[in-house]
Amino acid sequence: MMILRKTLSLIFLLYICHCLAQTINELEDGTLPEPRAYVPDSQYLDFAYHDHDDLTRFLRATSARYPNLTALYSIGKSTQGRELWVMVVSSSPYEHMIGKPDVKYVGNIHGNEPVGREMLLHLIQYFVTSYQTDQYVKWLLDNTRIHILPSLNPDGYAVSKEGACDGGQGRYNARGYDLNRNFPDYFKQNNKRGQPETDAVKDWISKIQFVLSGSLHGGALVASYPYDNTPNSMFQTYASAPSLTPDDDVFKHLSLVYAKNHAKMSRGVACKSATPAFENGITNGAAWYPLTGGMQDYNYVWYGCMEVTLEISCCKYPPAFELKKYWEDNQLSLIKFLAEAHRGVQGFVVDTAGKPIERASLKVKGRDVGFQTTKYGEFWRILLPGYYKVEVFADGYAPREVEFVIVEQHPTLLNVTLQPSKRTDTTSIPFYRPLPSPQHFRPPPPYADNGIFSTISNGLNSLYTNIFG
């Protein structure tokens, strides 16, 4: 029986390696063409703003029309009871594809910034209508599970006003909370009460091991990457020193992928004379202005998901007749950005019998934000070409260090086998990766400023972001 189990496990791993090898060969051979230019198709979705009922009808109709490419689910409800819809677009929409990464887009976290909401609806439409004719889209959907949440703040959107380029009406949820200041923060204690929308996101990303994420905003034209906060932000001025992550090279690369494939972003032109210009259309978040409780820092530090904030419109809520142009500007960027999930290293962590090890912890040496395996033992990490070492830990197993090389042409496949350990005490994992469950050790944040100065700082941040995004 033991021999049979080992044989079946080996066959399973060989099958996965074969599938990954097919993808690698396609990338090496250059058989994947560029995504096609956008062709309007008014039969499905017009260039107009869609309220929550319209959005729901479109998603349900798309799911019914394309059951083999889409799956619709809700991660929860807003404060006022609106569903927080997510649509999976993939050739395997109803179940996780072994060895294929999960990625996501989140739109409309600020209710009065709805361009991203509409772009994500058009992206869904483009994916399902182009799957049979666009080989790049077909490859992406065959090898990736794409989760799209068009509106995280439908309540705020409902009270926002079209044509309002600035201001805060509709920015917050129905209880007056800024959802992009409502997540746990690495640098400072965030005492803001959790909201239904952010609690839903936290639960969502705790269950799915997302590799890559984009959060769509408005009010500027820039790709902004972590960290958004900094250890000494109390008396910092805006346009100050950056707060860099251990994966700063990767975050800059991801941001540049979006900016350079965008029609205008990489030019780095300021939206207004009083607003900053961004070199190559990218910025470190804290260098632009520091904020506490942001979603992208939470994704990265807590779960190893590389999220970038995508500011895609100078006007927060531009007139509807401009939406077509926004789609033309962003279409290629939205697609190319997701494909970056296939860069770097990917593989499995298994035991000596070939069985997957769930929740094994991994850290690339010199990059002290870790990540974990799925229940199938899978892992992914976006890395640029170079030589690396990865440290792997799991309860009941001896830790292991493995060397590997990343090249530009294709992802590196790396399978790691762990040996059983006599010791089961692994409470001292030598890197910082806070987890929500209380039994895991979480070191104190590097800095916390409380009291009146923190209140003043948060007030200035709120005023600044109402103006600039």
Side-chain angles (χ1 to χ4, degrees):
M1 184 61 70
M2 179 65 71
I3 294 174
L4 177 60
R5 282 202 297 266
K6 288 185 176 180
T7 303
L8 291 174
S9 297
L10 179 60
I11 292 172
F12 171 76
L13 281 174
L14 288 173
Y15 170 73
I16 295 302
C17 291
H18 170 72
C19 294
L20 292 172
Q22 281 187 317
T23 299
I24 289 170
N25 287 336
E26 288 176 335
L27 290 167
E28 283 183 319
D29 296 342
T31 55
L32 294 174
E34 292 292 298
R36 290 190 296 113
Y38 169 69
V39 178
D41 191 347
S42 59
Q43 179 181 352
Y44 301 103
L45 185 70
D46 55 349
F47 285 100
Y49 290 107
H50 299 83
D51 64 21
H52 190 72
D53 289 340
D54 293 336
L55 180 148
T56 300
R57 279 191 291 270
F58 168 75
L59 294 176
R60 285 176 171 166
T62 301
S63 183
R65 189 181 184 96
Y66 300 95
N68 295 325
L69 289 176
T70 62
L72 182 62
Y73 67 96
S74 172
I75 62 169
K77 293 187 177 183
S78 69
T79 300
Q80 294 181 339
R82 296 178 172 92
E83 297 286 353
L84 302 176
W85 293 118
V86 176
M87 175 155 278
V88 180
V89 187
S90 172
S91 61
S92 181
Y94 287 97
E95 59 185 13
H96 175 72
M97 299 186 292
I98 302 297
K100 312 299 182 184
D102 287 275
V103 299
K104 64 182 168 73
Y105 275 131
V106 177
N108 205 202
I109 189 171
H110 294 142
N112 64 337
E113 300 170 12
V115 174
R117 169 191 178 112
E118 297 301 326
M119 296 303 99
L120 293 181
L121 295 181
H122 282 279
L123 183 64
I124 291 169
Q125 176 185 257
Y126 183 79
F127 279 152
V128 297
T129 58
S130 302
Y131 179 74
Q132 298 295 342
T133 58
D134 187 327
Q135 289 303 305
Y136 192 95
V137 168
K138 186 178 189 306
W139 168 80
L140 187 62
L141 269 58
D142 284 346
N143 293 280
T144 324
R145 292 191 80 225
I146 303 167
H147 303 246
I148 298 176
L149 198 172
S151 181
L152 181 56
N153 189 1
D155 299 349
Y157 173 77
V159 297
S160 300
K161 300 297 182 184
E162 182 176 344
C165 290
D166 303 304
Q169 181 178 350
R171 176 185 178 89
Y172 309 101
N173 78 342
R175 293 176 180 164
Y177 283 82
D178 187 329
L179 299 180
N180 202 38
R181 309 293 187 274
N182 197 238
F183 289 87
D185 194 275
Y186 174 46
F187 292 98
K188 298 180 182 178
Q189 183 177 354
N190 190 357
N191 295 318
K192 294 183 175 67
R193 182 160 59 102
Q195 296 302 295
E197 298 88 349
T198 49
D199 288 345
V201 170
K202 287 184 281 187
D203 183 61
W204 181 36
I205 64 180
S206 73
K207 294 175 179 176
I208 301 175
Q209 187 72 28
F210 288 109
V211 178
L212 179 64
S213 177
S215 175
L216 277 64
H217 292 243
L221 198 61
V222 66
S224 174
Y225 55 89
Y227 290 119
D228 265 336
N229 210 350
T230 180
N232 55 346
S233 64
M234 170 143 12
F235 296 109
Q236 270 192 295
T237 58
Y238 296 105
S240 57
S243 179
L244 304 182
T245 71
D247 291 289
D248 186 64
D249 58 337
V250 176
F251 277 116
K252 284 178 179 174
H253 168 80
L254 293 172
S255 301
L256 283 170
V257 166
Y258 198 93
K260 289 184 175 180
N261 284 288
H262 188 278
K264 303 181 182 72
M265 190 178 290
S266 64
R267 300 175 193 169
V269 179
C271 286
K272 302 175 184 176
S273 59
T275 60
F278 303 100
E279 185 177 359
N280 297 318
I282 70 171
T283 185
N284 173 261
W288 183 11
Y289 62 91
L291 62 90
T292 298
M295 184 167 66
Q296 70 176 9
D297 285 10
Y298 178 76
N299 269 267
Y300 174 61
V301 176
W302 265 255
Y303 293 99
C305 173
M306 293 188 169
E307 178 166 292
V308 174
T309 297
L310 305 167
E311 301 271 0
I312 61 172
S313 63
C314 287
C315 179
K316 291 187 177 185
Y317 199 154
F321 70 82
E322 296 182 5
L323 287 174
K324 182 173 182 290
K325 181 59 178 173
Y326 281 114
W327 169 244
E328 293 168 352
D329 289 349
N330 286 276
Q331 180 213 355
L332 186 61
S333 294
L334 288 166
I335 297 171
K336 287 282 198 174
F337 180 81
L338 295 179
E340 290 299 305
H342 297 280
R343 172 187 295 278
V345 63
Q346 59 189 69
F348 297 84
V349 177
V350 298
D351 63 16
T352 53
K355 294 175 59 178
I357 300 177
E358 182 180 2
R359 296 184 72 83
S361 297
L362 300 94
K363 179 184 78 75
V364 177
K365 207 161 187 179
R367 297 170 183 254
D368 290 332
V369 172
F371 48 105
Q372 288 190 321
T373 58
T374 69
K375 67 179 180 179
Y376 304 106
E378 310 153 286
F379 68 89
W380 298 264
R381 194 62 165 182
I382 303 172
L383 293 166
L384 301 186
Y387 169 81
Y388 299 91
K389 294 180 181 180
V390 64
E391 299 167 325
V392 187
F393 308 84
D395 290 342
Y397 297 89
R400 187 175 172 192
E401 183 176 289
V402 183
E403 300 176 356
F404 62 97
V405 175
I406 300 293
V407 297
E408 178 66 32
Q409 291 80 6
H410 57 75
T412 295
L413 177 61
L414 181 68
N415 294 326
V416 181
T417 301
L418 295 184
Q419 301 288 333
S421 172
K422 293 181 181 179
R423 293 185 60 190
T424 58
D425 179 13
T426 58
T427 57
S428 182
I429 294 176
F431 61 91
Y432 173 67
R433 185 184 179 281
L435 293 170
S437 48
Q439 67 267 27
H440 288 276
F441 171 69
R442 179 181 177 187
Y447 182 89
D449 61 335
N450 298 306
I452 187 169
F453 292 111
S454 179
T455 303
I456 294 171
S457 177
N458 290 336
L460 290 172
N461 284 343
S462 178
L463 175 63
Y464 187 86
T465 53
N466 279 342
I467 299 171
F468 298 120

